[in-house]
Amino acid sequence: MSDKKSKIDSALLKRVIKLTDPYRMLLFVCLFLAVALAPISIVRPYLVKLIVDKHIITGDITGISTMIMIFIGFVLVNVVMRYIFIYQTSLLGQLVIKDLRVRVFRHISSLRLGFFDRTAVGTATTRTINDVETMNTVFSQGFITIIADILGIVAIVGIMFYTSWQLALICLTTLPFMILATYIFKESVKSAFQVVRTEVARMNAFLQERITGMKIVQMFNAEEQEMDKFKKINRSYTKANLDSIFYYAVFFPVVELISSIGLALLIWWGTRSYLTDSVTFGALVAFPMYLSMLFRPVRMLADKFNTLQMGLVAADRIYSVLDDRSVITDNGTHEAVSLRGDIEFKDVFFSYDGENDVIKDLNLKIEPGKTLAIVGSTGSGKTTIINILNRFYETQKGKILMDGIDIRDYKLENLRSHISIVLQDVFLFNGTVFENICLKDKSITLEQVKAAAEIIGADEYIDMLPGGYDFKITERGLNLSVGQRQLISFARALVFNPNILILDEATSSIDTQTEAIIQNAIEKLIAKRTSIIIAHRLTTIRHADQILVMDQG
């Protein structure tokens, strides 16, 4: 099992490293610095040995001054190179995750709605933000710095044996214990961190859902009930963090103990060796520095391996999204400048779960410029017809023709550009009224937005807002009334001048007075374009050319 896991991690690490392909030169610079820092770092203790043995003991003041200048020079070179190394590895990580965020968001944007039906918004947000940010540590504190530390350890051990093989062997007697403690710590913290990541995603999903639905929570006096649920999730998250803290609290004192034992052995044996002239005094001075330089990276390697593992856990979560192939296939090549609006459903079957058909053998034809009203009980498949017409979901059997061409043969963007939908549950973004109507499409001018608002009678309501079209709408449009939100959604649908207009219970949330204002506008609009109206109100469907009654698909 561990071998299999190791292989999976290796394959995943290769996949993560491949993300650096656009910044290959920067990666080579980081690797070069990792290699170069190893010998430069170990020069200082060796210079100390030379200063003591060749100049201090012999009283060579001039030589001491020269060697001190050389020592300071190496220190400065080491400081500058380490600064560049830290900055460049962090830069590499930031550049990679910048591209990865865009890639993840683009992929999520292309997924079918089924993905969002089964995935909590908070979970998707965690993947795009928290997990991508965690992946940065793979580069800034992960595999490159691990390479630098391992090379440093090899260089230190080499110079220790070169300086005094007896003292080197004494120092290394405690190294197996340090490695064992490090391995146990690494494995324990890795498990704890995986639990932490799971609990973070769980908490984000809970908070996203509850905060979004706070109105319902308060409406049904469920505050205490939801608070109890949150306390349980919070306790689990806190416990996961405390478990990881416990391992750190045990590991570092153990490391200090092992280091102290190593230093004690060094002093005991080194002093005896010096008194018997088998070790120089300079080596005795330099070796505590070597010992510190040896144990520090060994100790930090455990932390860095865990950091790398956490980055790979996050990467695995991200790739589980990127590898989700439930994307909307866009293999169509046909582009239409304009559509007549001739719609035909031929022997269409559709199921959300692949087993239970929501739409069963639907045959339907809507002539260009005609209006179809769809009525039926809840769950009968009314909204599903709109979803498959826009290719939010794919049908299992049959085909849907638009102007005699299968909708799958159209480029997806081109198909949807000719269709506008007004939903019952209006979603407005954080931004101005103008931005919400044109959806920041730079080709749409303020004059076009005002003209669309005037057609449906929304201009009067918008002008009454502070700032008019520059009025700042809060998240989901909660600082507007239901009627105002609906009017803005009508203006949004019309400003794109669609060939096909779809109203999905679009007037159900509007009061009688507001409905009267837009009813004439709706009648004018549906007279010019093919329209599909889902509604329960008779006033909304009385001018329909066809009425489709849906019953169990």
Side-chain angles (χ1 to χ4, degrees), residues 29-53:
V29 169
C30 293
L31 291 172
F32 169 77
L33 289 169
V35 174
L37 278 168
I40 290 175
S41 299
I42 63 170
V43 168
R44 287 174 296 158
Y46 189 73
L47 288 175
V48 169
K49 174 187 177 299
L50 292 178
I51 291 170
V52 172
D53 286 343

Side-chain angles (χ1 to χ4, degrees), residues 32-33 90 118 137 297 357-358 420 438 481 513 530:
F32 169 77
L33 289 169
S90 298
R118 63 178 185 270
T137 58
D357 289 327
V358 179
S420 279
C438 71
S481 69
Q513 182 181 356
T530 303

